[in-house]
Amino acid sequence: MSHGELRVYLGAAPGVGKTYRMLEEGRRRMDRGTDVVVGLVETHGRPQTAAMIGDLPVVPRATVDYRGARFAELDLDALLARRPDVVLVDELAHTNVPGSRNVKRWQDIQELLAAGSTVITTLNIQHLESINDVVTEITGVPQRETVPDAIVRRADQIELVDQTPEALRRRMAHGNIYGPDMVDAALANYFRVGNLTALRELALLWLADKVDDQLDRYRAEHRISQPWETRERVVVALTGGSEGATLIRRAARIAARTKGADLLAVHVSRNDGLAGGAADPANLVRQRTLIEDLGGTYHQVVGNDVPTALLDFARGVNATQLVLGASRRSRFAQILSRGVGVTTTAASGAIDVHLVTHERVHGGQGGTTSTGALSGRRRLFGFALAVVGLPLLTVGLTQFRAELTLTSDILLYLAGVVVVALVGGLYPALTAAVLGSLLVNFFFTPPFHTLTISQRQNMLALAVFLAMAVAVSVTVDTAARRTREAAAARAEAETLFTLSGSVLRGSHAVRELLDQLRETYRLRSVSLLERRPDVPDSPDVQHDRQAWSVAATVGGQPCLTPGEADADIVVDDDISLVLRGQPLAAADRRVVQAFAAQTALALREQRLAEQAAAAGSMAEVDRLRTALLSAVSHDLRTPLASAMAAVDGLRSPGFALSAEDRAELVDTIAESLDRLHRLVDNLLDMSRLQAGALAMRPQPMSIAEATAAALDELGAPGRPVPVRIPDDIPEVRADPVLVERILANLLRNALRYSPADRPPQLAVSEHAGYVEARVIDHGPGIPASKWDTVFLPFQRLGDRDNDTGVGLGLALSRGLAEAMHGTLDPDHTPGGGLTMILRLPVVELPVGGAEQQPADAALRRVDDWRRVHRDDVEAAGRPHGEAS
């Protein structure tokens, strides 16, 4: 079965005409004989849209029951059974009613596509997950329904339905989008010209990225390597030298001339071991930070041929311009080799190449100077072997002059030169080659004991011998040099690998880096120093302790200034890495510079993380303060207003109040003051609990006694609470007043959210050393994902219609329970609803005697409460089979 195609009509805002265009496309396809059906279309009361449906076949919607209401959703099963060629489905980001087959409508559409049907759908830009927060910041209206970008990007076709902000506002003013009662509010808020312009630009930019992806795929599939100048892309080549910042800023200015141009930086690392140390890791780190600050991206590629690698990268990203630095090599070196800039320009083709001058032009290649591959002792031994060994070989060969030919003698001398090259390297081998050729000429080439050569073939043999000896010497020395470079590179790689592993495993990146550096090079101490911004420059700043502060240090006594260190690595103008213990070898500076650069980055990231954490804490404090002020202002104002109104009514001299009216006003005042009293108590207890200053008096107590007290506090509610407490329930160790507060809060919440015909219940049992008090309601419940959220201060119970209280009840109740070594956890009620479970530890007490009397008295109080409200309790519990 072939997979269906997905076509999306994308709009910047509601009302641009997405649904209309979708229906137009459906009618065109139906007129061509395609089997088209309307799966779901939302007309939103727009007559033109409804008229466009016309005679299109419509699949009736499925009905879903949720919380006593009926909702119409896409009938996925009917569509899968019918299997039309094309299905029109409106509003891709829609969230289905709970109880539907899928959570989101785009999941329904994926099933239709998998069944082979083509789906045409609509989407507004604000519903894309990646820019949902941006739209919220622009419009101030959060969009709760979103669709992952990947779903839309996989669409076979995306068509932008566009209208200018002015045209869209005219449609709104004419009543073509919303009803007359909503026009003014929409035009003044969401449909402002600025909002619509920003949304339109977001839609165009997102679609442009989608088009770029399609273009890249097309170029890759058709193997097109030549740049297509669809968008300016400026690539700047970095060598790791100090001129990189100049090149980056010049490239950024070039990119800024064209709106929407991309800026990319690339560094080519050679993989043939001939980099020569010219790339400074610290420079590259600083330049990467700079390019990212300017809105660009940093890339690193590997290649032996730098011009080829640069052009391959530039063509791969469809670059239009390439920025290079002018050559740093001397004029004599440029005569011998054209250099990277000239070579790249000659082969660039359609890519424009900019050669930018800088302060290092013609200043030499820089980098480290190559040293001999072998130690001085081995070279000295090689010279001794050449000076002593070859004469000894000559003495031996003269004894067998009659048996050996000149060819054999030359081969033996060549073997001697190879041995000297293996032992001492290039220069001893060259010495041996010259000395060997002279000895062969003097002792074994006629006429003997002279440097004259009488035969041409002997002259050719000696010339070939000398050339082969030199070639072998150079080859052996080069191989030794490469071996040493490879060993050094391997050591560096192992060091950096260990470094990265220690950083990844550690929670303190800066100290891990410094400690790894200290262990690797066996140093006494390693410190990262920061230059104080308030200290001016001076000639003795390197030794001025007032000018530096220690950002991090490991090891023994730290260096307090760069001047006190055995080695100093300057990261930038403000940060230096100082080492104490031994001087740093020149060959090790590259790795240490990499350590220094990464340590500086880790320090900056650590500071940013600390600032982010501080900002997060401040934001949380601000959020709590805002929530507190909002909630308390509302919940203080409401009972205060009621009480003041009732007092004003009692004090009004012009009105004669009956006894019933006066009693009603007094009851209003009492009720309002009771609400204020509970609010203030909760706030004070919450603050004491968070400060650890809440006074508790834990003692053996009966849960039945606390239950009776909580029921007394609730009074005689209109919907009595069925209570089940076994007679043999053990006592718990807790504060009776606090347990009563917890149960009263839980019962008050349960009564608020329970349906009228299903009152909450309280059931007490013992399990695993704990007494469990379960407050059970059959209300709307809370999703499991929000169970932790409802225990945060100033949080309302999700989408349960709570319009009173500051959201402290559950937070305070859990805090009180945990302070008494108990727990308070939510659970689902079978059949729907929420169950709050209070667990308190059991106290083992002897049965009978005085200890049993409080529990018996409490149970009698509960029984008395049952008898008073027995009829109501039984009536409330009987329809659902609940035992009272």
Side-chain angles (χ1 to χ4, degrees):
M1 179 185 298
S2 61
H3 195 277
E5 294 184 355
L6 176 62
R7 180 168 185 168
V8 179
Y9 284 97
L10 179 67
V16 294
K18 304 178 302 298
T19 304
Y20 194 89
R21 293 284 295 277
M22 177 185 71
L23 292 170
E24 271 189 334
E25 178 64 19
R27 295 189 67 84
R28 280 195 297 268
R29 297 197 182 202
M30 185 181 69
D31 293 341
R32 293 197 299 263
T34 306
D35 181 16
V36 180
V37 299
V38 174
L40 188 145
V41 168
E42 299 288 356
T43 63
H44 299 290
R46 300 165 190 166
Q48 296 92 339
T49 304
M52 181 56 66
I53 297 177
D55 56 350
L56 283 170
V58 178
V59 174
R61 303 187 188 187
T63 301
V64 181
D65 294 327
Y66 179 65
R67 293 186 180 179
R70 299 174 69 83
F71 299 88
E73 290 288 1
L74 179 73
D75 194 340
L76 180 59
D77 293 327
L79 289 170
L80 292 174
R82 192 182 186 286
R83 295 182 61 182
D85 294 333
V86 178
V87 185
L88 308 182
V89 182
D90 212 357
E91 298 183 357
L92 177 64
H94 172 76
T95 300
N96 293 329
V97 174
S100 303
R101 178 165 171 171
N102 293 309
V103 177
K104 304 288 288 187
R105 184 164 292 166
W106 60 262
Q107 295 171 321
D108 296 337
I109 289 176
Q110 283 188 319
E111 290 197 37
L112 291 172
L113 295 172
S117 294
T118 292
V119 178
I120 304 177
T121 186
T122 63
L123 178 71
N124 281 330
I125 192 68
Q126 64 263 31
H127 295 298
L128 285 169
E129 184 67 47
S130 65
I131 56 178
N132 178 262
D133 56 339
V134 179
V135 174
T136 301
E137 292 178 4
I138 293 172
T139 64
V141 180
Q143 303 291 334
R144 294 181 175 84
E145 292 187 328
T146 59
V147 60
D149 288 47
I151 300 299
V152 187
R153 288 190 181 277
R154 286 200 294 266
D156 299 277
Q157 297 181 61
I158 301 179
E159 182 174 334
L160 181 65
V161 183
D162 189 28
Q163 282 197 22
T164 64
E166 294 76 13
L168 192 57
R169 285 172 59 85
R170 281 198 300 271
R171 289 199 66 208
M172 174 69 71
H174 293 159
N176 294 330
I177 299 177
Y178 293 155
D181 56 330
M182 300 175 62
V183 169
D184 292 338
L187 290 175
N189 294 284
Y190 193 89
F191 282 80
R192 293 197 300 265
V193 173
N195 289 355
L196 297 177
T197 303
L199 292 174
R200 189 185 187 201
E201 183 171 7
L202 282 176
L204 291 169
L205 290 175
W206 189 92
L207 191 60
D209 288 339
K210 166 70 174 176
V211 173
D212 278 345
D213 294 340
Q214 292 177 329
L215 180 61
D216 290 341
R217 283 200 303 270
Y218 179 85
R219 284 165 48 85
E221 291 170 357
H222 292 79
R223 300 180 181 178
I224 299 172
S225 59
Q226 289 301 108
W228 287 3
E229 298 185 18
T230 55
R231 179 191 293 190
E232 288 287 351
R233 284 187 174 88
V234 182
V235 173
V236 54
L238 304 178
T239 64
S242 58
E243 75 282 356
T246 302
L247 303 182
I248 291 172
R249 291 188 175 93
R250 180 59 183 273
R253 290 196 295 271
I254 294 173
R257 295 171 187 167
T258 304
K259 187 174 179 61
D262 294 331
L263 178 62
L264 303 90
V266 60
H267 171 65
V268 179
S269 298
R270 300 185 65 172
N271 62 358
D272 58 358
L274 298 177
D280 186 344
N283 282 340
L284 287 176
V285 169
R286 287 193 292 269
Q287 290 159 16
R288 177 171 187 167
T289 303
L290 176 60
I291 193 74
E292 291 174 350
D293 288 343
L294 293 174
T297 57
Y298 177 86
H299 308 268
Q300 188 159 333
V301 297
V302 177
N304 293 339
D305 188 352
V306 175
T308 301
L310 280 177
L311 291 173
D312 286 345
F313 174 81
R315 294 188 180 109
V317 299
N318 200 22
T320 57
Q321 303 190 57
L322 181 60
V323 178
L324 302 173
S327 178
R328 293 183 295 173
R329 302 182 309 143
S330 65
R331 295 185 185 278
F332 178 75
Q334 292 183 45
I335 294 174
L336 300 178
S337 174
R338 295 193 302 172
V340 172
V342 177
T343 305
T344 304
T345 303
S348 63
I351 301 176
D352 296 335
V353 178
H354 302 264
L355 287 178
V356 180
T357 59
H358 50 85
E359 67 276 5
R360 296 289 301 277
V361 172
H362 304 316
Q365 179 68 25
T368 59
T369 303
S370 179
T371 59
L374 303 176
S375 65
R377 178 177 298 181
R378 285 189 60 177
R379 288 197 297 274
L380 183 61
F381 186 69
F383 279 117
L385 185 61
V387 173
V388 177
L390 291 183
L392 290 177
L393 177 62
T394 303
V395 172
L397 290 177
T398 56
Q399 305 301 317
F400 302 95
R401 188 191 301 274
E403 288 83 1
L404 298 175
T405 63
L406 179 61
T407 304
S408 300
D409 295 333
I410 291 176
L411 289 174
L412 290 173
Y413 274 99
L414 185 59
V417 172
V418 172
V419 171
V420 172
L422 291 173
V423 173
L426 178 61
Y427 295 108
L430 292 177
T431 302
V434 174
L435 180 59
S437 64
L438 293 175
L439 291 174
V440 170
N441 185 7
F442 191 81
F443 289 100
F444 302 101
T445 304
F448 301 121
H449 306 299
T450 68
L451 295 178
T452 303
I453 302 173
S454 60
Q455 299 178 4
R456 291 184 177 180
Q457 61 268 26
N458 292 340
M459 183 180 296
L460 177 62
L462 285 175
V464 171
F465 163 75
L466 183 60
M468 291 297 297
V470 171
V472 168
S473 301
V474 172
T475 302
V476 172
D477 183 77
T478 302
R481 192 183 306 278
R482 293 293 178 85
T483 300
R484 185 178 181 183
E485 290 174 352
R490 179 178 179 181
E492 290 181 5
E494 289 177 351
T495 301
L496 294 175
F497 176 77
T498 306
L499 161 68
S500 63
S502 64
V503 173
L504 290 174
R505 290 190 298 270
S507 58
H508 304 287
V510 176
R511 291 190 58 83
E512 290 288 344
L513 284 163
L514 297 181
D515 196 53
Q516 183 65 41
L517 178 60
R518 182 182 63 83
E519 292 180 0
T520 301
Y521 293 100
R522 299 182 296 279
L523 301 168
R524 290 202 305 272
S525 69
V526 180
S527 304
L528 195 66
L529 301 184
E530 280 188 295
R531 177 81 178 273
R532 296 182 187 274
D534 54 342
V535 178
D537 289 330
S538 66
D540 197 32
V541 70
Q542 296 295 309
H543 299 273
D544 184 4
R545 292 192 174 186
Q546 300 299 321
W548 300 89
S549 63
V550 179
T553 185
V554 295
Q557 184 179 3
C559 299
L560 301 181
T561 67
E564 300 175 6
D566 295 319
D568 172 25
I569 304 296
V570 178
V571 179
D572 55 31
D573 295 337
D574 299 322
I575 298 179
S576 288
L577 181 70
V578 294
L579 317 176
R580 172 174 283 176
Q582 62 180 1
L584 192 64
D588 296 330
R589 290 191 70 87
R590 242 178 14 125
V591 177
V592 177
Q593 284 173 340
F595 269 89
Q598 293 302 321
T599 306
L601 276 180
L603 178 64
R604 292 190 180 99
E605 291 178 359
Q606 178 179 309
R607 298 274 173 81
L608 289 174
E610 292 171 355
Q611 293 174 7
S617 301
M618 294 176 63
E620 180 65 18
V621 171
D622 186 65
R623 187 193 67 80
L624 288 177
R625 183 187 298 111
T626 302
L628 173 63
L629 292 174
S630 174
V632 171
S633 63
H634 173 270
D635 288 281
L636 282 174
R637 188 183 298 113
T638 301
L640 277 176
S642 299
M644 292 175 63
V647 169
D648 289 342
L650 290 174
R651 295 173 58 185
S652 297
F655 297 96
L657 297 175
S658 65
E660 293 180 357
D661 292 338
R662 186 175 297 275
E664 183 178 353
L665 290 175
V666 171
D667 289 342
T668 301
I669 295 172
E671 182 182 352
S672 300
L673 292 177
D674 184 57
R675 286 181 60 187
L676 283 174
H677 183 266
R678 287 200 305 271
L679 171 63
V680 173
D681 280 349
N682 283 342
L683 288 172
L684 291 176
D685 286 346
M686 195 66 191
S687 63
R688 294 190 189 106
L689 188 64
Q690 292 180 339
L694 182 66
M696 288 192 303
R697 298 178 179 83
Q699 56 186 286
M701 58 160 289
S702 169
I703 196 72
E705 182 178 0
T707 301
L711 293 172
D712 287 342
E713 180 180 340
L714 292 176
R719 293 175 297 157
V721 180
V723 179
R724 297 196 301 272
I725 304 179
D727 294 339
D728 57 348
I729 201 73
E731 289 188 327
V732 297
R733 183 171 183 80
D735 187 318
V737 176
L738 299 185
V739 175
E740 175 192 340
R741 290 280 301 281
I742 296 172
L743 292 175
N745 278 339
L746 298 180
L747 288 168
R748 190 176 290 110
N749 275 339
L751 283 166
R752 180 181 299 135
Y753 298 117
S754 294
D757 59 339
R758 304 190 72 180
Q761 307 164 42
L762 182 97
V764 179
S765 61
E766 180 191 3
H767 178 70
Y770 284 85
V771 169
E772 295 183 349
R774 295 174 177 266
V775 178
I776 306 164
D777 72 57
H778 297 278
I782 301 175
S785 60
K786 295 184 179 180
W787 281 355
D788 290 332
T789 304
V790 298
F791 288 104
L792 297 176
F794 313 115
Q795 297 290 325
R796 303 299 179 107
L797 297 181
D799 53 5
R800 294 154 65 119
D801 300 325
N802 184 8
D803 57 357
T804 62
V806 295
L808 278 178
L810 290 179
L812 179 62
S813 298
R814 172 174 274 190
L816 295 177
E818 292 176 349
M820 295 183 291
H821 305 289
T823 61
L824 178 62
D825 298 302
D827 196 4
H828 289 298
T829 300
L834 185 71
T835 298
M836 284 291 182
I837 307 172
L838 172 65
R839 295 183 179 89
L840 295 171
V842 169
V843 174
E844 296 294 338
L845 292 175
V847 179
E851 292 83 356
Q852 192 68 23
Q853 292 175 5
D856 294 341
L859 288 171
R860 285 196 296 273
R861 289 178 61 193
V862 174
D863 289 339
D864 292 342
W865 191 91
R866 284 175 175 159
R867 281 194 295 273
V868 172
H869 303 288
R870 173 171 297 170
D871 294 339
D872 294 333
V873 169
E874 291 179 353
R878 194 177 303 117
H880 307 288
E882 304 288 358
S884 55

